[in-house]
Structure formats: C-alpha cells, structure tokens
Amino acid sequence: MRRRKLRKYVLPSLLVMAIVSVVSITGIINNLKGNDLSENITYVSKTILGNDIAVINTTSKIINPYTDQSVKIGKNYYDYQAEAKDQENSIIYHDDTYMQNSGIDYVSENTFEVVSVLNGTVTDIKEDELLGKIIEIKHDNDYISIYQSLSEVLVKKGDTVNQGQVIGKSGTNELDKEVGNHLHFEFYTNGQVVNPNLYLNKELKKQETKE
C-alpha cells in the first residue's frame, strides 16, 4: 500500500493556520481577563414587594382584673340566655328595686389589688354615691373597661397604663352593700356592655402594620 505524501506547500499553510489559531485563542483569553465581569452584572436594588406594608399578626389576652387567688365571683353578669337560677343570682336588689347586674362582682374577705385587664389610657375617674370610686380605661379595638366599688384609686385621668398594672384597691359601695368587699367590673365593646366572661382570658387577635 502506497503511503500518501503531502505536498511541500501544504505544510507551511498548516503551520500558519495553527499559529493563527493559538494567537486568536490567547487574545480572547486576555480580553476576558482584562474585562471586569462584575461590571456586566445588573444587581437588584429594589425589593419585590415594592411599597407593600408588612402585616404582623399579634395576639393579646384579656386578663382578670385581679391577681389575688382568694378572689371569687360573688355575683355574675346577667345573661338573658342563662338558666333561671343563674339569672336569679345575677339580680341586684336596692331600694325596693330589682336590677340586672351589668358586670361581674369579684369578692374577697380582704381588700385586694385591682389591675388593668389590657394596656390603655385612663379616660375618667369619679366617685359616685351608690357605686363608689370608679376608674374607666379605654383600650385598642374600641374596648373599655370600668372598675367600680374601689376604696383607693392609684391612677389619674390621662395616665397610660399597662396590662396587669395596679390601678386601685377593692372596697364597698351602697348599691351592692350586701356583697361586702368587692370589685364591680364591667366591659364594653363598640359602646355596648357585654358579658366579661366572653372576653376574659380569651385570645384576641389583631393586625398591626409595620411602617
């Protein structure tokens, strides 16, 4: 079998092409090294959410208006749907008149500290001949708590109070004289008095916006 031979002028041509290829590749590599690739990268400087406001779900629990474990319920809120016996125990009798109890009477043999059930602002303090010393506190979400039959008031109108802060002490009044030492507690939502038992020690979820 005869061996194929390349013509003489073919060899120089191949050599030139090889040199050109090497030079071209080297130039490309050097060009890449000379350029800062990071300059060609576009960075994201804005958030995807744009001007959206983040929403945080928080949970609050309305606590009892006292901390003394000896405190008991002496007279409950008058519930129209309750059994007749429970309704009878929620009636106030004064000056030959029967009245439905609009709150809860917490009783104890000894004077006990009264605390705010939520964070809020003291909107009113007064003393009534029948109801005794009274504190009214306004809270978020249109909640209002009222504390009656106090012997001492430890806050003043306009004060900002924290949940659990002592605001006064239990006492007596003329309307519920037979109950003895107690706190009469009322709770309002959207301007309407409600059964405190439906709210006390219950989780209340609300939404707060984060600026």
Side-chain angles (χ1 to χ4, degrees):
M1 183 175 182
R2 297 179 61 179
R3 182 178 297 177
R4 294 181 61 182
K5 293 183 180 180
L6 296 176
R7 296 180 181 181
K8 292 183 179 180
Y9 68 85
V10 175
L11 292 177
S13 299
L14 293 177
L15 181 60
V16 171
M17 292 177 61
I19 294 173
V20 171
S21 299
V22 172
V23 171
S24 299
I25 294 173
T26 304
I28 294 173
I29 294 174
N30 290 334
N31 186 51
L32 292 175
K33 289 183 178 180
N35 294 331
D36 186 358
L37 296 179
S38 63
E39 294 180 356
N40 298 323
I41 300 176
T42 302
Y43 292 94
V44 178
S45 58
K46 296 182 180 180
T47 61
I48 297 176
L49 296 179
N51 296 325
D52 291 346
I53 299 176
V55 177
I56 301 175
N57 289 326
T58 61
T59 305
S60 298
K61 177 184 287 188
I62 300 180
I63 63 174
N64 289 323
Y66 60 88
T67 56
D68 191 333
Q69 297 302 312
S70 67
V71 175
K72 306 295 181 184
I73 294 179
K75 188 170 294 185
N76 223 322
Y77 175 87
Y78 184 91
D79 187 348
Y80 290 93
Q81 297 180 342
E83 296 182 1
K85 182 178 181 180
D86 294 330
Q87 291 179 340
E88 183 179 348
N89 292 331
S90 300
I91 293 293
I92 299 172
Y93 179 75
H94 176 76
D95 196 19
D96 296 329
T97 302
Y98 290 95
M99 295 173 285
Q100 299 156 348
N101 196 17
S102 57
I104 299 177
D105 295 332
Y106 295 101
V107 302
S108 178
E109 293 183 0
N110 302 315
T111 300
F112 57 89
E113 293 181 334
V114 176
V115 301
S116 178
V117 297
L118 283 170
N119 297 338
T121 301
V122 179
T123 52
D124 197 11
I125 291 178
K126 56 188 175 183
E127 186 166 359
D128 187 89
E129 292 182 0
L130 288 178
L131 306 177
K133 293 182 173 64
I134 303 170
I135 298 175
E136 177 184 288
I137 299 178
K138 185 175 182 179
H139 314 281
D140 290 339
N141 300 325
D142 292 325
Y143 293 134
I144 294 176
S145 57
I146 295 180
Y147 313 77
Q148 299 177 359
S149 188
L150 301 175
S151 60
E152 291 185 46
V153 173
L154 304 178
V155 291
K156 62 182 183 298
K157 185 176 180 179
D159 282 354
T160 299
V161 296
N162 296 320
Q163 184 182 58
Q165 178 179 333
V166 178
I167 59 175
K169 294 185 179 181
S170 62
T172 59
N173 63 29
E174 291 298 318
L175 184 64
D176 289 326
K177 184 181 294 185
E178 75 281 0
V179 177
N181 174 65
H182 73 286
L183 160 70
H184 177 79
F185 175 76
E186 294 182 0
F187 196 70
Y188 291 75
T189 176
N190 297 319
Q192 300 294 322
V193 64
V194 295
N195 185 352
N197 289 318
L198 300 178
Y199 294 85
L200 292 173
N201 299 307
K202 301 292 191 305
E203 298 288 348
L204 301 176
K205 292 184 179 180
K206 63 180 181 179
Q207 290 188 333
E208 295 180 350
T209 57
K210 184 179 181 181
E211 300 296 338

